[in-house]
Amino acid sequence: MNSGQDFYIGLMSGTSSDAIDAALVQFSDSGCELVSTLAATLDTPIVDRIQHAVDGTADRINDISELDALLAQAFANTALCLKAQAGVDQITAIGSHGQTVRHQPGGCLPYSVQLGSGARIAALTGITTVSDFRTADLALGGQGAPLVPAFHRAVFSDPDENRVIVNIGGIANVTVLHRKDRLSGFDTGPGNTLMDHWFRQHQPGAYDEDGTWAQSGKYLPKLLSAFLEHDYFSRPLPKSTGLEEFNLDWLNTYLIGDERPEDVQATLVGLTAESISQSIKTNAPATDAVYLCGGGANNEYLVNQLENRLTPLPLYTSDRLGLPVDWVEAVAFAWLAKERLKNRPTNCPEVTGSSRELALGAVYLG
């Protein structure tokens, strides 16, 4: 492959914390080309440490610093493996989201913590690395999330269609792309994270493939109604959320103890589908079409539940727009790295609530 071409790598590890998604991307005036991809499963000890950092059982400075270094090594190894796999000699930059272990956009001193040191990744790979995409937006009164709407506008917008892009990762978020280049976006609430963690507590494996286990259960309408009373769903925009609000401890406060686990799983699917569909109906009533991406787009049962709730709106996947559902977020962070090196703003104050536009990300030279 021609080493003179301009390539970027995007790295993404979501709140389900099961793998690192890596995408090698080439950008041009006409769009972006997804050149190569790699999904690297995180080792169980690292996943356990992430969970302990998230729930606060192991979040002292020593714990966090060691995990930060371990994750940076994992991100760097994944990037180098992808580079070798693609046979590319030169990478312009890596954009690394990092592993979120805490997201607190409210209060007097809002913050968000993503582990996986950009400095270490740059040192270990020899490739310029852009990371820490949230802090500057938070400093100017923004939510620091969601980060991908600017990318969605750049690659998915269409002057003839009001589109909603729904990313179902651990937390689900939407980007509303209006015909007239107006933009909005926000987190809708839990995506896969509650389903994944509940599944791991009761079944072998990392997640409920195709929603098969959930489909074996029966949806519990009273439980779903109780879930939807969480005040997050009625909060005004801008807003973002994370595992601090939607986690197994929160879930367990609603359970009596005699529920069948598969029935709870079916109801969690309903929670994700209902919160997404209601968010679209409330905040984007003029939508012409909805496009799914993220891991949740592979959950057939979840997609069917969402489709039923959105009818008559057409529901597609991002594949129809040229990017496979599993790689949109990783490509987005490659794009964010590219934009940062060009010093172009990517935070979208109309989405995050920041007081002004910013070029997001800290740059570490390789």
Side-chain angles (χ1 to χ4, degrees), residues 53-177:
V54 170
D55 64 24
T57 57
D59 63 353
R60 299 176 65 185
I61 290 176
N62 286 356
D63 303 319
I64 293 299
S65 297
E66 288 177 3
L67 181 56
D68 187 49
L70 284 170
L71 283 165
Q73 289 174 354
F75 287 132
N77 290 340
T78 301
L80 290 174
C81 287
L82 178 61
K83 179 176 179 285
Q85 172 183 292
V88 172
D89 298 324
Q90 188 70 35
I91 305 295
T92 301
I94 294 169
S96 179
H97 172 270
Q99 177 65 55
T100 299
V101 295
R102 204 68 52 85
H103 183 64
Q104 296 282 9
C108 298
L109 290 172
Y111 64 92
S112 190
V113 180
Q114 285 73 45
L115 300 182
S117 164
R120 280 182 180 268
I121 296 171
L124 291 169
T125 62
I127 301 168
T128 293
T129 298
V130 185
S131 62
D132 188 16
F133 288 97
R134 302 186 191 272
T135 301
D137 185 82
L138 285 157
L140 293 181
Q143 293 279 310
L147 290 171
V148 292
F151 169 73
H152 290 162
R153 176 170 57 189
V155 300
F156 292 149
S157 60
D158 188 307
D160 298 320
E161 187 174 69
N162 287 326
R163 292 176 170 172
V164 170
I165 311 300
V166 179
N167 173 59
I168 309 179
I171 297 297
N173 57 72
V174 302
T175 301
V176 183
L177 300 171

Side-chain angles (χ1 to χ4, degrees), residues 11-80:
L11 300 174
M12 177 68 200
S13 178
T15 49
S16 291
S17 63
D18 55 351
I20 299 168
D21 292 336
L24 178 65
V25 189
Q26 184 180 17
F27 295 98
S28 67
D29 292 340
S30 59
C32 59
E33 179 188 355
L34 181 58
V35 178
S36 188
T37 62
L38 179 65
T41 302
L42 285 169
D43 293 338
T44 300
I46 294 181
V47 174
D48 290 342
R49 291 183 73 148
I50 292 169
Q51 184 56 46
H52 293 153
V54 170
D55 64 24
T57 57
D59 63 353
R60 299 176 65 185
I61 290 176
N62 286 356
D63 303 319
I64 293 299
S65 297
E66 288 177 3
L67 181 56
D68 187 49
L70 284 170
L71 283 165
Q73 289 174 354
F75 287 132
N77 290 340
T78 301
L80 290 174

Side-chain angles (χ1 to χ4, degrees), residues 302-315:
L302 171 59
V303 173
N304 288 340
Q305 291 294 309
L306 187 55
E307 191 167 31
N308 290 340
R309 287 168 167 82
L310 289 173
T311 300
L313 274 180
L315 181 65

Side-chain angles (χ1 to χ4, degrees), residues 187-252:
D187 289 347
T188 63
N192 301 313
T193 186
L194 287 173
M195 293 185 286
D196 288 351
H197 286 99
W198 183 254
F199 180 84
R200 292 170 195 168
Q201 195 173 78
H202 296 278
Q203 296 287 313
Y207 62 94
D208 185 11
E209 189 170 356
D210 291 327
T212 302
W213 187 52
Q215 200 162 2
S216 72
K218 295 178 66 175
Y219 148 72
L220 303 173
K222 289 184 179 179
L223 183 60
L224 177 58
S225 295
F227 288 161
L228 290 169
E229 289 177 3
H230 192 298
D231 75 328
Y232 181 78
F233 300 115
S234 58
R235 286 179 205 166
L237 306 182
K239 63 180 181 178
S240 61
T241 190
L243 298 181
E244 296 73 27
E245 295 191 277
F246 296 105
N247 52 54
L248 288 183
D249 287 341
W250 171 79
L251 168 62
N252 285 324

